[in-house]
PDB file of all heavy atoms in Angstrom:
ATOM      1  N   SER A   1      -0.595   0.619 -12.392  1.00  0.00           N
ATOM      2  CA  SER A   1       0.475   0.735 -11.384  1.00  0.00           C
ATOM      3  C   SER A   1       0.781  -0.683 -10.795  1.00  0.00           C
ATOM      4  O   SER A   1      -0.089  -1.538 -10.713  1.00  0.00           O
ATOM      5  CB  SER A   1       0.021   1.634 -10.236  1.00  0.00           C
ATOM      6  OG  SER A   1      -0.121   3.005 -10.637  1.00  0.00           O
ATOM      7  N   ILE A   2       2.013  -0.840 -10.442  1.00  0.00           N
ATOM      8  CA  ILE A   2       2.484  -1.971  -9.658  1.00  0.00           C
ATOM      9  C   ILE A   2       2.996  -1.464  -8.369  1.00  0.00           C
ATOM     10  O   ILE A   2       3.875  -0.611  -8.337  1.00  0.00           O
ATOM     11  CB  ILE A   2       3.588  -2.789 -10.417  1.00  0.00           C
ATOM     12  CG1 ILE A   2       3.064  -3.239 -11.831  1.00  0.00           C
ATOM     13  CG2 ILE A   2       4.051  -3.987  -9.586  1.00  0.00           C
ATOM     14  CD1 ILE A   2       4.076  -3.986 -12.619  1.00  0.00           C
ATOM     15  N   VAL A   3       2.541  -2.060  -7.263  1.00  0.00           N
ATOM     16  CA  VAL A   3       2.896  -1.547  -5.917  1.00  0.00           C
ATOM     17  C   VAL A   3       3.759  -2.611  -5.188  1.00  0.00           C
ATOM     18  O   VAL A   3       3.461  -3.801  -5.204  1.00  0.00           O
ATOM     19  CB  VAL A   3       1.587  -1.294  -5.128  1.00  0.00           C
ATOM     20  CG1 VAL A   3       1.973  -0.672  -3.732  1.00  0.00           C
ATOM     21  CG2 VAL A   3       0.639  -0.365  -5.880  1.00  0.00           C
ATOM     22  N   PHE A   4       4.842  -2.091  -4.608  1.00  0.00           N
ATOM     23  CA  PHE A   4       5.760  -2.877  -3.814  1.00  0.00           C
ATOM     24  C   PHE A   4       5.845  -2.390  -2.381  1.00  0.00           C
ATOM     25  O   PHE A   4       5.630  -1.178  -2.214  1.00  0.00           O
ATOM     26  CB  PHE A   4       7.152  -2.880  -4.431  1.00  0.00           C
ATOM     27  CG  PHE A   4       7.281  -3.423  -5.844  1.00  0.00           C
ATOM     28  CD1 PHE A   4       6.982  -2.618  -6.898  1.00  0.00           C
ATOM     29  CD2 PHE A   4       7.720  -4.733  -6.025  1.00  0.00           C
ATOM     30  CE1 PHE A   4       7.127  -3.083  -8.218  1.00  0.00           C
ATOM     31  CE2 PHE A   4       7.851  -5.217  -7.326  1.00  0.00           C
ATOM     32  CZ  PHE A   4       7.554  -4.432  -8.435  1.00  0.00           C
ATOM     33  N   ASP A   5       6.143  -3.208  -1.453  1.00  0.00           N
ATOM     34  CA  ASP A   5       6.517  -2.656  -0.165  1.00  0.00           C
ATOM     35  C   ASP A   5       7.938  -2.098  -0.175  1.00  0.00           C
ATOM     36  O   ASP A   5       8.631  -2.231  -1.192  1.00  0.00           O
ATOM     37  CB  ASP A   5       6.286  -3.705   0.966  1.00  0.00           C
ATOM     38  CG  ASP A   5       7.426  -4.727   1.078  1.00  0.00           C
ATOM     39  OD1 ASP A   5       8.312  -4.776   0.187  1.00  0.00           O
ATOM     40  OD2 ASP A   5       7.335  -5.602   1.969  1.00  0.00           O
ATOM     41  N   ASN A   6       8.313  -1.468   0.920  1.00  0.00           N
ATOM     42  CA  ASN A   6       9.628  -0.807   0.857  1.00  0.00           C
ATOM     43  C   ASN A   6      10.844  -1.760   0.872  1.00  0.00           C
ATOM     44  O   ASN A   6      11.995  -1.293   0.703  1.00  0.00           O
ATOM     45  CB  ASN A   6       9.767   0.151   2.090  1.00  0.00           C
ATOM     46  CG  ASN A   6       9.709  -0.540   3.371  1.00  0.00           C
ATOM     47  OD1 ASN A   6       8.579  -0.916   3.825  1.00  0.00           O
ATOM     48  ND2 ASN A   6      10.846  -0.693   4.088  1.00  0.00           N
ATOM     49  N   TYR A   7      10.600  -3.063   0.873  1.00  0.00           N
ATOM     50  CA  TYR A   7      11.663  -4.055   0.803  1.00  0.00           C
ATOM     51  C   TYR A   7      11.666  -4.838  -0.514  1.00  0.00           C
ATOM     52  O   TYR A   7      12.360  -5.758  -0.687  1.00  0.00           O
ATOM     53  CB  TYR A   7      11.557  -5.039   1.992  1.00  0.00           C
ATOM     54  CG  TYR A   7      11.820  -4.391   3.308  1.00  0.00           C
ATOM     55  CD1 TYR A   7      10.861  -4.373   4.297  1.00  0.00           C
ATOM     56  CD2 TYR A   7      13.060  -3.824   3.578  1.00  0.00           C
ATOM     57  CE1 TYR A   7      11.046  -3.719   5.532  1.00  0.00           C
ATOM     58  CE2 TYR A   7      13.332  -3.173   4.850  1.00  0.00           C
ATOM     59  CZ  TYR A   7      12.282  -3.191   5.770  1.00  0.00           C
ATOM     60  OH  TYR A   7      12.552  -2.572   6.978  1.00  0.00           O
ATOM     61  N   GLY A   8      10.833  -4.382  -1.458  1.00  0.00           N
ATOM     62  CA  GLY A   8      10.806  -4.923  -2.820  1.00  0.00           C
ATOM     63  C   GLY A   8       9.888  -6.045  -3.042  1.00  0.00           C
ATOM     64  O   GLY A   8       9.898  -6.677  -4.128  1.00  0.00           O
ATOM     65  N   LEU A   9       9.036  -6.383  -2.079  1.00  0.00           N
ATOM     66  CA  LEU A   9       8.022  -7.442  -2.258  1.00  0.00           C
ATOM     67  C   LEU A   9       6.801  -6.885  -2.989  1.00  0.00           C
ATOM     68  O   LEU A   9       6.291  -5.888  -2.606  1.00  0.00           O
ATOM     69  CB  LEU A   9       7.635  -7.980  -0.908  1.00  0.00           C
ATOM     70  CG  LEU A   9       8.580  -8.830  -0.124  1.00  0.00           C
ATOM     71  CD1 LEU A   9       8.109  -9.032   1.303  1.00  0.00           C
ATOM     72  CD2 LEU A   9       8.800 -10.156  -0.817  1.00  0.00           C
ATOM     73  N   PRO A  10       6.442  -7.525  -4.107  1.00  0.00           N
ATOM     74  CA  PRO A  10       5.235  -7.030  -4.881  1.00  0.00           C
ATOM     75  C   PRO A  10       3.981  -7.244  -4.018  1.00  0.00           C
ATOM     76  O   PRO A  10       3.777  -8.299  -3.456  1.00  0.00           O
ATOM     77  CB  PRO A  10       5.217  -7.942  -6.117  1.00  0.00           C
ATOM     78  CG  PRO A  10       6.003  -9.142  -5.727  1.00  0.00           C
ATOM     79  CD  PRO A  10       7.009  -8.721  -4.776  1.00  0.00           C
ATOM     80  N   MET A  11       3.216  -6.165  -3.940  1.00  0.00           N
ATOM     81  CA  MET A  11       1.970  -6.165  -3.116  1.00  0.00           C
ATOM     82  C   MET A  11       0.710  -6.348  -3.983  1.00  0.00           C
ATOM     83  O   MET A  11      -0.160  -7.081  -3.639  1.00  0.00           O
ATOM     84  CB  MET A  11       1.897  -4.894  -2.309  1.00  0.00           C
ATOM     85  CG  MET A  11       2.976  -4.813  -1.232  1.00  0.00           C
ATOM     86  SD  MET A  11       2.813  -3.215  -0.320  1.00  0.00           S
ATOM     87  CE  MET A  11       1.201  -3.393   0.579  1.00  0.00           C
ATOM     88  N   MET A  12       0.639  -5.551  -5.070  1.00  0.00           N
ATOM     89  CA  MET A  12      -0.588  -5.599  -5.905  1.00  0.00           C
ATOM     90  C   MET A  12      -0.334  -5.012  -7.273  1.00  0.00           C
ATOM     91  O   MET A  12       0.535  -4.191  -7.472  1.00  0.00           O
ATOM     92  CB  MET A  12      -1.746  -4.861  -5.160  1.00  0.00           C
ATOM     93  CG  MET A  12      -1.480  -3.395  -4.917  1.00  0.00           C
ATOM     94  SD  MET A  12      -2.710  -2.686  -3.841  1.00  0.00           S
ATOM     95  CE  MET A  12      -2.165  -3.136  -2.214  1.00  0.00           C
ATOM     96  N   PHE A  13      -1.171  -5.523  -8.208  1.00  0.00           N
ATOM     97  CA  PHE A  13      -1.204  -5.004  -9.565  1.00  0.00           C
ATOM     98  C   PHE A  13      -2.482  -4.208  -9.699  1.00  0.00           C
ATOM     99  O   PHE A  13      -3.530  -4.736  -9.268  1.00  0.00           O
ATOM    100  CB  PHE A  13      -1.094  -6.081 -10.632  1.00  0.00           C
ATOM    101  CG  PHE A  13       0.114  -6.933 -10.471  1.00  0.00           C
ATOM    102  CD1 PHE A  13       0.080  -8.241 -10.019  1.00  0.00           C
ATOM    103  CD2 PHE A  13       1.380  -6.440 -10.855  1.00  0.00           C
ATOM    104  CE1 PHE A  13       1.170  -9.084  -9.968  1.00  0.00           C
ATOM    105  CE2 PHE A  13       2.507  -7.242 -10.767  1.00  0.00           C
ATOM    106  CZ  PHE A  13       2.423  -8.528 -10.293  1.00  0.00           C
ATOM    107  N   MET A  14      -2.394  -3.096 -10.318  1.00  0.00           N
ATOM    108  CA  MET A  14      -3.604  -2.247 -10.564  1.00  0.00           C
ATOM    109  C   MET A  14      -3.680  -1.952 -12.021  1.00  0.00           C
ATOM    110  O   MET A  14      -2.905  -1.083 -12.548  1.00  0.00           O
ATOM    111  CB  MET A  14      -3.536  -0.919  -9.720  1.00  0.00           C
ATOM    112  CG  MET A  14      -3.535  -1.169  -8.222  1.00  0.00           C
ATOM    113  SD  MET A  14      -3.484   0.443  -7.335  1.00  0.00           S
ATOM    114  CE  MET A  14      -3.900  -0.196  -5.647  1.00  0.00           C
ATOM    115  N   ASP A  15      -4.564  -2.659 -12.754  1.00  0.00           N
ATOM    116  CA  ASP A  15      -4.751  -2.369 -14.186  1.00  0.00           C
ATOM    117  C   ASP A  15      -5.191  -0.886 -14.367  1.00  0.00           C
ATOM    118  O   ASP A  15      -4.939  -0.301 -15.410  1.00  0.00           O
ATOM    119  CB  ASP A  15      -5.827  -3.286 -14.772  1.00  0.00           C
ATOM    120  CG  ASP A  15      -5.328  -4.720 -14.774  1.00  0.00           C
ATOM    121  OD1 ASP A  15      -4.108  -4.964 -14.456  1.00  0.00           O
ATOM    122  OD2 ASP A  15      -6.124  -5.672 -14.998  1.00  0.00           O
ATOM    123  N   LYS A  16      -5.840  -0.330 -13.338  1.00  0.00           N
ATOM    124  CA  LYS A  16      -6.124   1.059 -13.295  1.00  0.00           C
ATOM    125  C   LYS A  16      -5.857   1.490 -11.847  1.00  0.00           C
ATOM    126  O   LYS A  16      -6.342   0.853 -10.894  1.00  0.00           O
ATOM    127  CB  LYS A  16      -7.572   1.328 -13.698  1.00  0.00           C
ATOM    128  CG  LYS A  16      -7.911   2.879 -13.748  1.00  0.00           C
ATOM    129  CD  LYS A  16      -9.339   3.045 -14.283  1.00  0.00           C
ATOM    130  CE  LYS A  16      -9.635   4.498 -14.417  1.00  0.00           C
ATOM    131  NZ  LYS A  16     -10.990   4.711 -15.011  1.00  0.00           N
ATOM    132  N   THR A  17      -5.013   2.493 -11.692  1.00  0.00           N
ATOM    133  CA  THR A  17      -4.611   2.963 -10.328  1.00  0.00           C
ATOM    134  C   THR A  17      -5.822   3.200  -9.470  1.00  0.00           C
ATOM    135  O   THR A  17      -6.748   3.932  -9.887  1.00  0.00           O
ATOM    136  CB  THR A  17      -3.690   4.207 -10.423  1.00  0.00           C
ATOM    137  OG1 THR A  17      -2.601   3.863 -11.292  1.00  0.00           O
ATOM    138  CG2 THR A  17      -3.204   4.586  -9.047  1.00  0.00           C
ATOM    139  N   GLN A  18      -5.813   2.641  -8.235  1.00  0.00           N
ATOM    140  CA  GLN A  18      -6.908   2.768  -7.317  1.00  0.00           C
ATOM    141  C   GLN A  18      -6.498   3.519  -6.081  1.00  0.00           C
ATOM    142  O   GLN A  18      -5.951   3.021  -5.140  1.00  0.00           O
ATOM    143  CB  GLN A  18      -7.357   1.347  -6.922  1.00  0.00           C
ATOM    144  CG  GLN A  18      -7.925   0.509  -8.041  1.00  0.00           C
ATOM    145  CD  GLN A  18      -9.167   1.119  -8.759  1.00  0.00           C
ATOM    146  OE1 GLN A  18     -10.010   1.712  -8.047  1.00  0.00           O
ATOM    147  NE2 GLN A  18      -9.206   1.044 -10.041  1.00  0.00           N
ATOM    148  N   PRO A  19      -6.756   4.875  -6.066  1.00  0.00           N
ATOM    149  CA  PRO A  19      -6.342   5.665  -4.933  1.00  0.00           C
ATOM    150  C   PRO A  19      -6.940   5.261  -3.618  1.00  0.00           C
ATOM    151  O   PRO A  19      -6.353   5.380  -2.552  1.00  0.00           O
ATOM    152  CB  PRO A  19      -6.742   7.086  -5.342  1.00  0.00           C
ATOM    153  CG  PRO A  19      -7.771   6.936  -6.381  1.00  0.00           C
ATOM    154  CD  PRO A  19      -7.422   5.665  -7.139  1.00  0.00           C
ATOM    155  N   GLU A  20      -8.234   4.710  -3.677  1.00  0.00           N
ATOM    156  CA  GLU A  20      -8.899   4.327  -2.409  1.00  0.00           C
ATOM    157  C   GLU A  20      -8.126   3.192  -1.745  1.00  0.00           C
ATOM    158  O   GLU A  20      -7.988   3.260  -0.489  1.00  0.00           O
ATOM    159  CB  GLU A  20     -10.288   3.913  -2.699  1.00  0.00           C
ATOM    160  CG  GLU A  20     -11.229   4.996  -3.388  1.00  0.00           C
ATOM    161  CD  GLU A  20     -11.064   5.059  -4.846  1.00  0.00           C
ATOM    162  OE1 GLU A  20     -10.266   4.269  -5.446  1.00  0.00           O
ATOM    163  OE2 GLU A  20     -11.693   5.923  -5.533  1.00  0.00           O
ATOM    164  N   ILE A  21      -7.696   2.245  -2.516  1.00  0.00           N
ATOM    165  CA  ILE A  21      -6.909   1.145  -1.927  1.00  0.00           C
ATOM    166  C   ILE A  21      -5.555   1.600  -1.346  1.00  0.00           C
ATOM    167  O   ILE A  21      -5.165   1.281  -0.254  1.00  0.00           O
ATOM    168  CB  ILE A  21      -6.726  -0.001  -2.997  1.00  0.00           C
ATOM    169  CG1 ILE A  21      -8.017  -0.570  -3.394  1.00  0.00           C
ATOM    170  CG2 ILE A  21      -5.756  -1.030  -2.473  1.00  0.00           C
ATOM    171  CD1 ILE A  21      -7.911  -1.564  -4.517  1.00  0.00           C
ATOM    172  N   LEU A  22      -4.897   2.495  -2.097  1.00  0.00           N
ATOM    173  CA  LEU A  22      -3.651   3.021  -1.659  1.00  0.00           C
ATOM    174  C   LEU A  22      -3.750   3.916  -0.420  1.00  0.00           C
ATOM    175  O   LEU A  22      -2.897   3.850   0.414  1.00  0.00           O
ATOM    176  CB  LEU A  22      -3.017   3.771  -2.782  1.00  0.00           C
ATOM    177  CG  LEU A  22      -2.519   2.845  -3.973  1.00  0.00           C
ATOM    178  CD1 LEU A  22      -2.073   3.775  -5.151  1.00  0.00           C
ATOM    179  CD2 LEU A  22      -1.369   1.982  -3.532  1.00  0.00           C
ATOM    180  N   GLU A  23      -4.856   4.611  -0.356  1.00  0.00           N
ATOM    181  CA  GLU A  23      -5.167   5.361   0.920  1.00  0.00           C
ATOM    182  C   GLU A  23      -5.299   4.418   2.066  1.00  0.00           C
ATOM    183  O   GLU A  23      -4.838   4.719   3.233  1.00  0.00           O
ATOM    184  CB  GLU A  23      -6.383   6.201   0.740  1.00  0.00           C
ATOM    185  CG  GLU A  23      -6.303   7.337  -0.265  1.00  0.00           C
ATOM    186  CD  GLU A  23      -5.903   8.633   0.373  1.00  0.00           C
ATOM    187  OE1 GLU A  23      -6.077   8.759   1.637  1.00  0.00           O
ATOM    188  OE2 GLU A  23      -5.471   9.552  -0.325  1.00  0.00           O
ATOM    189  N   ASN A  24      -5.984   3.293   1.857  1.00  0.00           N
ATOM    190  CA  ASN A  24      -6.152   2.331   2.995  1.00  0.00           C
ATOM    191  C   ASN A  24      -4.773   1.709   3.376  1.00  0.00           C
ATOM    192  O   ASN A  24      -4.539   1.458   4.581  1.00  0.00           O
ATOM    193  CB  ASN A  24      -7.077   1.235   2.542  1.00  0.00           C
ATOM    194  CG  ASN A  24      -8.524   1.680   2.541  1.00  0.00           C
ATOM    195  OD1 ASN A  24      -8.891   2.635   3.200  1.00  0.00           O
ATOM    196  ND2 ASN A  24      -9.362   0.959   1.769  1.00  0.00           N
ATOM    197  N   VAL A  25      -3.926   1.484   2.460  1.00  0.00           N
ATOM    198  CA  VAL A  25      -2.620   0.963   2.670  1.00  0.00           C
ATOM    199  C   VAL A  25      -1.828   1.988   3.584  1.00  0.00           C
ATOM    200  O   VAL A  25      -1.137   1.612   4.506  1.00  0.00           O
ATOM    201  CB  VAL A  25      -1.809   0.643   1.390  1.00  0.00           C
ATOM    202  CG1 VAL A  25      -0.374   0.367   1.707  1.00  0.00           C
ATOM    203  CG2 VAL A  25      -2.455  -0.546   0.692  1.00  0.00           C
ATOM    204  N   GLN A  26      -1.940   3.257   3.218  1.00  0.00           N
ATOM    205  CA  GLN A  26      -1.217   4.319   4.009  1.00  0.00           C
ATOM    206  C   GLN A  26      -1.804   4.388   5.395  1.00  0.00           C
ATOM    207  O   GLN A  26      -1.049   4.590   6.390  1.00  0.00           O
ATOM    208  CB  GLN A  26      -1.388   5.633   3.281  1.00  0.00           C
ATOM    209  CG  GLN A  26      -0.609   5.740   1.967  1.00  0.00           C
ATOM    210  CD  GLN A  26       0.881   5.598   2.131  1.00  0.00           C
ATOM    211  OE1 GLN A  26       1.448   5.925   3.166  1.00  0.00           O
ATOM    212  NE2 GLN A  26       1.561   5.093   1.124  1.00  0.00           N
ATOM    213  N   ALA A  27      -3.069   4.163   5.564  1.00  0.00           N
ATOM    214  CA  ALA A  27      -3.705   4.169   6.907  1.00  0.00           C
ATOM    215  C   ALA A  27      -3.128   2.972   7.715  1.00  0.00           C
ATOM    216  O   ALA A  27      -2.867   3.093   8.884  1.00  0.00           O
ATOM    217  CB  ALA A  27      -5.230   4.078   6.803  1.00  0.00           C
ATOM    218  N   TRP A  28      -2.973   1.812   7.070  1.00  0.00           N
ATOM    219  CA  TRP A  28      -2.413   0.660   7.638  1.00  0.00           C
ATOM    220  C   TRP A  28      -1.013   0.883   8.116  1.00  0.00           C
ATOM    221  O   TRP A  28      -0.608   0.502   9.250  1.00  0.00           O
ATOM    222  CB  TRP A  28      -2.502  -0.515   6.648  1.00  0.00           C
ATOM    223  CG  TRP A  28      -1.782  -1.785   7.034  1.00  0.00           C
ATOM    224  CD1 TRP A  28      -2.192  -2.648   8.019  1.00  0.00           C
ATOM    225  CD2 TRP A  28      -0.688  -2.361   6.409  1.00  0.00           C
ATOM    226  NE1 TRP A  28      -1.320  -3.787   8.055  1.00  0.00           N
ATOM    227  CE2 TRP A  28      -0.378  -3.576   7.068  1.00  0.00           C
ATOM    228  CE3 TRP A  28       0.155  -1.981   5.365  1.00  0.00           C
ATOM    229  CZ2 TRP A  28       0.642  -4.382   6.688  1.00  0.00           C
ATOM    230  CZ3 TRP A  28       1.235  -2.774   5.030  1.00  0.00           C
ATOM    231  CH2 TRP A  28       1.476  -3.964   5.719  1.00  0.00           C
ATOM    232  N   ILE A  29      -0.197   1.604   7.269  1.00  0.00           N
ATOM    233  CA  ILE A  29       1.161   1.937   7.661  1.00  0.00           C
ATOM    234  C   ILE A  29       1.163   2.907   8.835  1.00  0.00           C
ATOM    235  O   ILE A  29       1.920   2.728   9.829  1.00  0.00           O
ATOM    236  CB  ILE A  29       1.908   2.555   6.488  1.00  0.00           C
ATOM    237  CG1 ILE A  29       2.089   1.491   5.374  1.00  0.00           C
ATOM    238  CG2 ILE A  29       3.259   3.180   6.914  1.00  0.00           C
ATOM    239  CD1 ILE A  29       2.657   2.033   4.063  1.00  0.00           C
ATOM    240  N   HIS A  30       0.272   3.859   8.817  1.00  0.00           N
ATOM    241  CA  HIS A  30       0.184   4.870   9.957  1.00  0.00           C
ATOM    242  C   HIS A  30      -0.157   4.158  11.203  1.00  0.00           C
ATOM    243  O   HIS A  30       0.389   4.466  12.291  1.00  0.00           O
ATOM    244  CB  HIS A  30      -0.866   5.910   9.542  1.00  0.00           C
ATOM    245  CG  HIS A  30      -1.005   6.966  10.686  1.00  0.00           C
ATOM    246  ND1 HIS A  30       0.087   7.818  10.980  1.00  0.00           N
ATOM    247  CD2 HIS A  30      -2.002   7.282  11.433  1.00  0.00           C
ATOM    248  CE1 HIS A  30      -0.361   8.645  11.964  1.00  0.00           C
ATOM    249  NE2 HIS A  30      -1.592   8.329  12.231  1.00  0.00           N
ATOM    250  N   LEU A  31      -1.057   3.138  11.140  1.00  0.00           N
ATOM    251  CA  LEU A  31      -1.482   2.398  12.361  1.00  0.00           C
ATOM    252  C   LEU A  31      -0.270   1.672  12.927  1.00  0.00           C
ATOM    253  O   LEU A  31      -0.066   1.562  14.178  1.00  0.00           O
ATOM    254  CB  LEU A  31      -2.545   1.399  12.024  1.00  0.00           C
ATOM    255  CG  LEU A  31      -3.102   0.550  13.182  1.00  0.00           C
ATOM    256  CD1 LEU A  31      -3.626   1.451  14.326  1.00  0.00           C
ATOM    257  CD2 LEU A  31      -4.168  -0.361  12.633  1.00  0.00           C
ATOM    258  N   GLN A  32       0.642   1.115  12.055  1.00  0.00           N
ATOM    259  CA  GLN A  32       1.811   0.484  12.545  1.00  0.00           C
ATOM    260  C   GLN A  32       2.635   1.374  13.378  1.00  0.00           C
ATOM    261  O   GLN A  32       3.216   1.013  14.455  1.00  0.00           O
ATOM    262  CB  GLN A  32       2.615  -0.052  11.411  1.00  0.00           C
ATOM    263  CG  GLN A  32       1.925  -1.241  10.618  1.00  0.00           C
ATOM    264  CD  GLN A  32       2.760  -1.645   9.424  1.00  0.00           C
ATOM    265  OE1 GLN A  32       3.967  -1.917   9.593  1.00  0.00           O
ATOM    266  NE2 GLN A  32       2.140  -1.780   8.313  1.00  0.00           N
ATOM    267  N   HIS A  33       2.812   2.607  12.940  1.00  0.00           N
ATOM    268  CA  HIS A  33       3.584   3.628  13.655  1.00  0.00           C
ATOM    269  C   HIS A  33       2.860   3.921  15.063  1.00  0.00           C
ATOM    270  O   HIS A  33       3.550   4.085  16.063  1.00  0.00           O
ATOM    271  CB  HIS A  33       3.726   4.897  12.864  1.00  0.00           C
ATOM    272  CG  HIS A  33       4.774   4.791  11.783  1.00  0.00           C
ATOM    273  ND1 HIS A  33       6.138   5.080  11.954  1.00  0.00           N
ATOM    274  CD2 HIS A  33       4.681   4.398  10.458  1.00  0.00           C
ATOM    275  CE1 HIS A  33       6.765   4.855  10.853  1.00  0.00           C
ATOM    276  NE2 HIS A  33       5.890   4.520   9.952  1.00  0.00           N
ATOM    277  N   GLN A  34       1.565   3.999  15.004  1.00  0.00           N
ATOM    278  CA  GLN A  34       0.840   4.297  16.219  1.00  0.00           C
ATOM    279  C   GLN A  34       0.974   3.223  17.312  1.00  0.00           C
ATOM    280  O   GLN A  34       1.090   3.597  18.497  1.00  0.00           O
ATOM    281  CB  GLN A  34      -0.646   4.556  15.909  1.00  0.00           C
ATOM    282  CG  GLN A  34      -0.956   5.814  15.124  1.00  0.00           C
ATOM    283  CD  GLN A  34      -2.393   5.969  14.901  1.00  0.00           C
ATOM    284  OE1 GLN A  34      -3.127   5.086  14.430  1.00  0.00           O
ATOM    285  NE2 GLN A  34      -2.889   7.179  15.204  1.00  0.00           N
ATOM    286  N   VAL A  35       1.037   2.005  16.882  1.00  0.00           N
ATOM    287  CA  VAL A  35       1.164   0.883  17.904  1.00  0.00           C
ATOM    288  C   VAL A  35       2.565   0.494  18.132  1.00  0.00           C
ATOM    289  O   VAL A  35       2.832  -0.420  18.924  1.00  0.00           O
ATOM    290  CB  VAL A  35       0.265  -0.317  17.449  1.00  0.00           C
ATOM    291  CG1 VAL A  35      -1.163   0.080  17.358  1.00  0.00           C
ATOM    292  CG2 VAL A  35       0.792  -0.966  16.126  1.00  0.00           C
TER     293      VAL A  35
END
């Protein structure tokens, strides 16, 4: 997988998709909404 933010900036390359990292990214996004 190749992961981009919602504005098209490349964030990370995953030679094998890593759900744990993506879950942490989603938690980071959720925290932005909370604050």
Side-chain angles (χ1 to χ4, degrees):
S1 293
I2 302 177
V3 183
F4 299 83
D5 76 356
N6 60 285
Y7 294 117
L9 289 167
M11 294 177 66
M12 61 190 80
F13 301 109
M14 295 182 168
D15 294 349
K16 185 174 184 177
T17 304
Q18 298 297 322
E20 300 85 359
I21 294 175
L22 292 169
E23 291 266 343
N24 286 337
V25 170
Q26 293 297 331
W28 173 69
I29 293 172
H30 181 64
L31 179 60
Q32 293 177 49
H33 284 272
Q34 288 182 312
V35 300

